[in-house]
Amino acid sequence: MLRGMRKASSNWVGKTIMAVVMGVLIISFGIWGIADIFRGFGQSTVAKVGHTEISLNEFRQIYTDRLQQIGRQFGRPLTPDQARAFGLDRQVLQQTIAEAALDENARQLGLGQSDEQIRQIIMNDPNFKSVDGKFDANRFQGLIRNFGYTEQRYVAEQRKVALRRQITGTIGAGLEPPKTMLDVATRFQNEQRALEFVRLDTAQAGTIEAPSPEALAAYFEDHKVQFRAPEYRKIVFAVISPEEIAKWSDVSDTDAKKLFDQRKDQLSTPERRQIHQIVFPNLAEAQAARERLVGGLSFEDLGKERGLTAADVDLGLKTKSSLEPALGDAAFALPVGEISQPIQGAIGVSIVKVDKIEPGVEADYAKFASDVKRQIATERARTKVGELRDKMEDERGAGTSVADAAQKLGLTAVTIDAVDRSGRAPNGQTVADIPQGLDVVSQAFNSDVGVDNDAISFKGGYVWYDVLAITPSRDRNLDEVRDQVEARWRQDQIASRLKAKATEMVQKLEQGGKLADEAAAINAKVETASGFKRDDSPAGVPANIVAAAFRTAKDGVGQAPVTGGSEVIVYRVTDIVDPPVDAASDAAKKLKETASRSLTDEQVASYVTKLEADIGTTINQAAFAQVTGANQ
């Protein structure tokens, strides 16, 4: 798993996913450790917490929801392999068990939450309020749909969350971080420093004469391992993916027109209606208000009586699918200007009026033909992928090489004569014939010649590969790498001279010299930076110099290399500012909140861990693997 996590987070895609994972997972409650004891006890149950069973279907829905939530934030779906590489499977399981333990505890304690309390919790949630601070029913519906919830399921989930918060709120009540801790943390966080510094680069290194043959040969012997030729492997691979196969497909207008007719409603512009809505707490108030509206009172005036603005009442132009089902059915059955009957919802009773209707526009085949054909080609390709996969596996099972099997099936096999672990050819250039995102090189370096390797999943398809030959790593001779050796020798000479000059400057400064005088002597300029904190990135100051400045006393001097030693910075800390602690500042309040949350989380985590142990927790490894795809 650790190797998978490192591999998955080695590019911008993986880093982006890792950055959002925790925010998505903590949608209802934190994740705490559980007893790592897996037992098999019935294929329909993933885990059992006390008397509460987490069914296979229930956990599958929870797990799928979490992955979809991450996928929506990231903009692309997560595969089961990626989810396991990031440890999402275990995190979701641990969260689900922790929640079940608290649910069991709530039942034992006889805790409850009324429908009115849940309604108030939802209506007071700032996520569901419009810009004027009022609850927005349409925003509520839209947001919960985006997270894969129906209204009924969301309300039921919030009821559980409310009961869990009763428990965790009691556990964490009254916890306050010590004032001393906050003062120390605030001073550490807000401490500021100022420095002056001089850059020493190749200009200060002086002229570097070319090395003598003897000197170069001696340097090469001392650093031969740095110029060693890496291990290379000759590999061949064949790709079967919908993207590749779709290019072969020729879709007729007849087929495209048939699919277009089936999806015409989806491609057409739906009817939109401008709707006014007011939500009432109960049926009686809604019915009384309707009678007044039928009697001539305007929606705007009724809204004002209830403290609503015109924007609160006017939902704007809406499609039927964008509304809650009951509300949509009622609104789209009304003629313009008529007042609806009261409409019961989970959080209130609504009355609506339609002010304007914009008819829908029927889709034109000519406009969508290319898109529909592309969809058909992709769908056919998915089917073709399955067929070719089975045929390729049959060939491989019969001992046919990847190259020969690809030729038999009409596929293109790509041969890479030599590639190292980093994906580079012997000329140092990245091998261009490997599709972006295909990690066939590391797979090949974990295999060997003659090994029947498993296929790699890639872009909805598969990749088969063979290792044809291995060229072991070896020592190069000087003639092979003479230019590289001389360039490295020159870099080392520059770094050595700069370090010596920087050391000399530091010694003079420590004896009372001035940085300005030393800079003038080597034709360099003095730069300054001030008012920066530990986590700041002041312009022109490398991160390691910022870190060094906070390890140096006031008027202290030091040096540090940057950019691989081709530049050295000599610096003096000119000032240290320790701002007074302002407990009323936003930063101090935020720090206190963070510390309080940390203390509460630790307290609650201990409680839940003890609760799980007391109640008893068991996990069905086979069912867990079935849901998360670990057994595929």
Side-chain angles (χ1 to χ4, degrees):
M1 176 178 287
L2 290 176
R3 184 172 66 249
M5 290 178 69
R6 285 196 297 270
K7 179 178 72 175
S9 60
S10 63
N11 52 49
W12 71 269
V13 173
K15 291 175 182 175
T16 303
I17 297 176
M18 290 299 285
V20 303
V21 160
M22 292 309 296
V24 174
L25 284 177
I26 307 175
I27 189 172
S28 61
F29 193 74
I31 303 170
W32 293 289
I34 57 173
D36 193 15
I37 302 172
F38 284 80
R39 305 174 184 175
F41 53 82
Q43 294 303 308
S44 63
T45 301
V46 171
K48 187 174 182 181
V49 185
H51 298 293
T52 300
E53 291 191 355
I54 302 171
S55 71
L56 187 144
N57 289 335
E58 178 186 0
F59 182 71
R60 178 182 285 114
Q61 183 176 32
I62 293 171
Y63 187 62
T64 301
D65 286 346
R66 296 294 191 271
L67 296 193
Q68 288 177 348
Q69 289 162 16
I70 296 171
R72 278 190 289 270
Q73 290 197 9
F74 179 54
R76 62 193 300 178
L78 277 182
T79 66
D81 289 342
Q82 289 172 325
R84 290 195 302 277
F86 295 131
L88 297 183
D89 51 347
R90 287 299 298 255
Q91 292 178 18
V92 174
L93 178 63
Q94 290 173 349
Q95 177 185 353
T96 305
I97 287 175
E99 292 172 351
L102 286 171
D103 292 343
E104 182 85 1
N105 191 213
R107 283 191 290 272
Q108 292 175 349
L109 297 173
L111 301 181
Q113 202 84 20
S114 69
D115 292 343
E116 178 60 24
Q117 287 174 316
I118 295 300
R119 191 177 76 87
Q120 289 300 323
I121 289 173
I122 293 174
M123 294 190 72
N124 290 328
D125 189 330
N127 292 307
F128 303 140
K129 292 183 178 181
S130 57
V131 291
D132 60 359
K134 303 291 186 180
F135 176 79
D136 187 332
N138 292 302
R139 180 176 175 81
F140 165 73
Q141 292 291 341
L143 282 175
I144 65 173
R145 271 200 304 271
N146 286 340
F147 280 95
Y149 285 93
T150 63
E151 182 176 313
Q152 292 76 14
R153 184 179 163 214
Y154 183 80
V155 170
E157 180 65 23
Q158 289 309 296
R159 188 183 304 280
K160 292 181 180 179
V161 170
L163 296 178
R164 295 170 199 153
R165 285 176 178 166
Q166 287 187 37
I167 298 172
T168 58
T170 302
I171 295 169
L175 285 177
E176 286 283 341
K179 182 178 183 301
T180 302
M181 182 185 80
L182 292 176
D183 287 349
V184 171
T186 300
R187 291 181 185 279
F188 182 86
Q189 179 176 289
N190 294 332
E191 181 183 340
Q192 299 175 12
R193 303 227 168 179
L195 56 77
E196 57 180 4
F197 60 96
V198 173
R199 300 176 189 272
L200 282 64
D201 54 25
T202 53
Q204 282 74 43
T207 302
I208 308 292
E209 300 292 342
S212 67
E214 295 78 14
L216 191 64
Y219 180 85
F220 175 68
E221 286 299 322
D222 290 340
H223 299 82
K224 185 177 289 187
V225 67
Q226 298 178 14
F227 305 99
R228 185 177 175 84
E231 177 183 317
Y232 290 101
R233 300 207 167 192
K234 182 177 182 180
I235 62 175
V236 60
F237 63 88
V239 180
I240 298 177
S241 70
E243 182 179 325
E244 289 296 319
I245 297 175
K247 299 175 183 177
W248 313 343
S249 299
D250 183 14
V251 180
S252 67
D253 279 315
T254 301
D255 292 341
K257 187 68 166 60
K258 182 178 179 180
L259 180 62
F260 171 80
D261 289 339
Q262 294 173 358
R263 301 182 179 177
K264 194 171 184 178
D265 290 343
Q266 302 172 24
L267 299 173
S268 299
T269 301
E271 176 185 322
R272 298 196 304 170
R273 296 191 170 204
Q274 186 167 18
I275 300 170
H276 279 68
Q277 177 196 33
I278 296 179
V279 180
F280 301 88
N282 54 61
L283 182 61
E285 287 191 36
Q287 189 62 53
R290 181 181 185 279
E291 292 175 3
R292 295 180 64 199
L293 290 170
V294 172
L297 181 66
S298 70
F299 253 75
E300 291 77 4
D301 289 341
L302 180 58
K304 289 178 183 178
E305 289 182 10
R306 305 185 68 83
L308 303 174
T309 66
D312 294 330
V313 174
D314 188 358
L315 299 184
L317 287 167
K318 297 290 182 181
T319 61
K320 186 175 181 179
S321 61
S322 69
L323 301 172
E324 186 218 28
L327 188 66
D329 290 342
F332 276 74
L334 288 175
V336 172
E338 187 170 320
I339 309 298
S340 74
Q341 294 292 334
I343 307 162
Q344 180 67 56
I347 58 170
V349 182
S350 299
I351 292 178
V352 299
K353 177 171 73 86
V354 176
D355 291 325
K356 183 172 68 173
I357 298 176
E358 285 189 359
V361 178
E362 192 173 273
D364 178 49
Y365 171 72
K367 180 179 178 182
F368 292 95
S370 60
D371 290 337
V372 174
K373 288 183 178 181
R374 188 159 48 248
Q375 292 174 16
I376 294 175
T378 301
E379 190 60 38
R380 289 176 177 174
R382 291 194 183 99
T383 302
K384 188 68 174 177
V385 164
E387 296 173 357
L388 287 173
R389 176 200 60 205
D390 294 342
K391 292 179 180 179
M392 175 64 88
E393 287 294 337
D394 289 342
E395 292 291 337
R396 297 291 285 152
T400 309
S401 68
V402 168
D404 290 343
Q407 184 177 15
K408 284 184 180 181
L409 299 178
L411 303 173
T412 301
V414 179
T415 301
I416 309 296
D417 289 325
V419 61
D420 66 14
R421 289 181 182 273
S422 67
R424 298 181 182 276
N427 63 4
Q429 300 298 312
T430 300
V431 175
D433 294 334
I434 301 175
Q436 185 175 6
L438 174 58
D439 187 23
V440 69
V441 172
S442 66
Q443 298 283 352
F445 272 83
N446 288 327
S447 183
D448 207 338
V449 175
V451 173
D452 183 9
N453 304 295
D454 292 333
I456 305 170
S457 297
F458 179 64
K459 291 186 176 180
Y462 305 89
V463 177
W464 287 264
Y465 66 97
D466 278 337
V467 178
L468 303 180
I470 298 176
T471 303
S473 175
R474 65 177 180 84
D475 286 334
R476 293 186 173 111
N477 60 55
L478 179 56
D479 290 337
E480 290 181 88
V481 289
R482 185 176 298 274
D483 291 343
Q484 298 175 37
V485 175
E486 185 168 347
R488 185 71 61 82
W489 176 88
R490 183 175 297 276
Q491 290 174 5
D492 286 358
Q493 290 294 308
I494 292 172
S496 178
R497 289 193 184 186
L498 292 180
K499 181 175 178 57
K501 192 173 289 291
T503 301
E504 180 184 352
M505 287 180 64
V506 168
Q507 290 173 349
K508 290 180 178 180
L509 293 173
E510 288 175 339
Q511 294 169 5
K514 295 182 178 180
L515 188 60
D517 295 339
E518 297 301 322
I522 61 172
N523 197 28
K525 68 175 183 178
V526 177
E527 301 177 61
T528 61
S530 61
F532 58 87
K533 301 178 183 179
R534 297 174 189 273
D535 296 330
D536 289 346
S537 301
V541 184
N544 68 321
I545 300 299
V546 172
F550 278 90
R551 295 193 300 267
T552 307
K554 183 179 179 181
D555 296 323
V557 296
Q559 60 165 301
V562 293
T563 62
S566 61
E567 180 178 282
V568 177
I569 288 181
V570 176
Y571 65 89
R572 182 198 297 275
V573 175
T574 57
D575 194 16
I576 297 177
V577 179
D578 187 8
V581 176
D582 180 6
S585 68
D586 291 339
K589 291 178 180 177
K590 185 175 181 180
L591 180 62
K592 183 178 180 179
E593 290 175 1
T594 302
S596 296
R597 279 198 303 271
S598 179
L599 290 174
T600 300
D601 287 347
E602 291 179 10
Q603 190 84 348
V604 172
S606 298
Y607 180 82
V608 172
T609 301
K610 183 67 165 58
L611 186 62
E612 289 172 357
D614 291 344
I615 292 177
T617 301
T618 50
I619 303 170
N620 184 345
Q621 185 180 22
F624 173 65
Q626 179 182 343
V627 172
T628 60
N631 59 354
Q632 295 179 358

